[in-house]
Amino acid sequence: MSVNNFETPKNLLLHYLIGMQSEVRPITPQCTVPKSVPVGKTAVLTCNENEGYPPSKYIWYRNGDPVPDDPKSNSKFHNSSYKIDSNAGTLRFTVISKLDIGEYHCVAENVVGNAKCEPQRMEVYDINVAAIIGGVLVVVLVLLFITIVIRFAYKRGYFTKKQSEKG
């Protein structure tokens, strides 16, 4: 029998069980991919799962190809501008371009296994500056026309007050 109470069989078993942490495979992560983003804006894709132990690392894929940490390291991504945080599960596009269109999904993985979310399509669209300018010009022309019609009506006397006859 031990003089030290910490070395009793019961305490040794309890110490062993407390110190032992089981490893758990990641579950299907929750992925958020914007459906549509204008050219030149930022976009953030997120991937998260909280069940795996040890905590998961995240790998993003575009059209089935892994997105490299450094876009310049792969010719398919060299014109992209993004940052990946594999611990947080984020893929942040600083300036999005048409080349970033595609199906995105992420894989959460740890030493026990991995799980992936369903692919989601991200579209990138141009802001139609010509249509915006055209719309503004139409509004200005309509307002100009209304102003001319009102001035013409004033000159013709359509807006003058008729004096009531006193009798």
Side-chain angles (χ1 to χ4, degrees):
M1 191 178 241
S2 173
V3 177
N4 186 344
N5 287 335
F6 292 109
E7 294 181 11
T8 64
K10 181 179 176 185
N11 284 342
L12 283 175
L13 178 61
L14 185 61
H15 177 71
Y16 176 74
L17 290 175
I18 290 172
M20 188 172 105
Q21 295 186 1
S22 58
E23 297 173 332
V24 180
R25 181 178 179 211
I27 62 169
T28 302
Q30 296 293 318
C31 297
T32 305
V33 176
K35 294 197 181 311
S36 188
V37 182
V39 169
K41 297 295 181 180
T42 61
V44 179
L45 288 65
T46 61
C47 183
N48 189 22
E49 86 72 39
N50 293 318
E51 300 295 319
Y53 189 85
S56 296
K57 299 278 188 189
Y58 301 95
I59 303 166
W60 278 99
Y61 290 81
R62 182 181 77 197
N63 300 327
D65 297 320
V67 178
D69 288 338
D70 179 12
K72 307 300 180 222
S73 68
N74 185 319
S75 61
K76 291 182 181 180
F77 298 92
H78 74 277
N79 287 327
S80 292
S81 175
Y82 62 81
K83 297 217 184 300
I84 293 179
D85 185 337
S86 60
N87 293 318
T90 58
L91 170 56
R92 179 181 304 271
F93 290 92
T94 50
V95 178
I96 204 150
S97 75
K98 290 276 196 174
L99 298 172
D100 299 318
I101 293 172
E103 297 267 331
Y104 287 85
H105 76 274
C106 100
V107 173
E109 70 177 9
N110 65 15
V111 294
V112 183
N114 62 53
K116 75 174 200 167
C117 64
E118 289 297 315
Q120 299 175 43
R121 183 143 186 92
M122 182 174 73
E123 295 289 339
V124 178
Y125 63 91
D126 289 317
I127 296 175
N128 192 343
V129 176
I132 293 170
I133 292 172
V136 169
L137 286 176
V138 167
V139 169
V140 167
L141 289 173
V142 167
L143 291 174
L144 182 64
F145 177 75
I146 291 171
T147 303
I148 290 171
V149 168
I150 290 173
R151 289 192 60 152
F152 180 75
Y154 266 116
K155 284 186 177 184
R156 294 283 181 157
Y158 290 113
F159 293 113
T160 60
K161 290 184 179 178
K162 292 188 176 183
Q163 297 290 330
S164 60
E165 294 181 22
K166 293 186 179 178

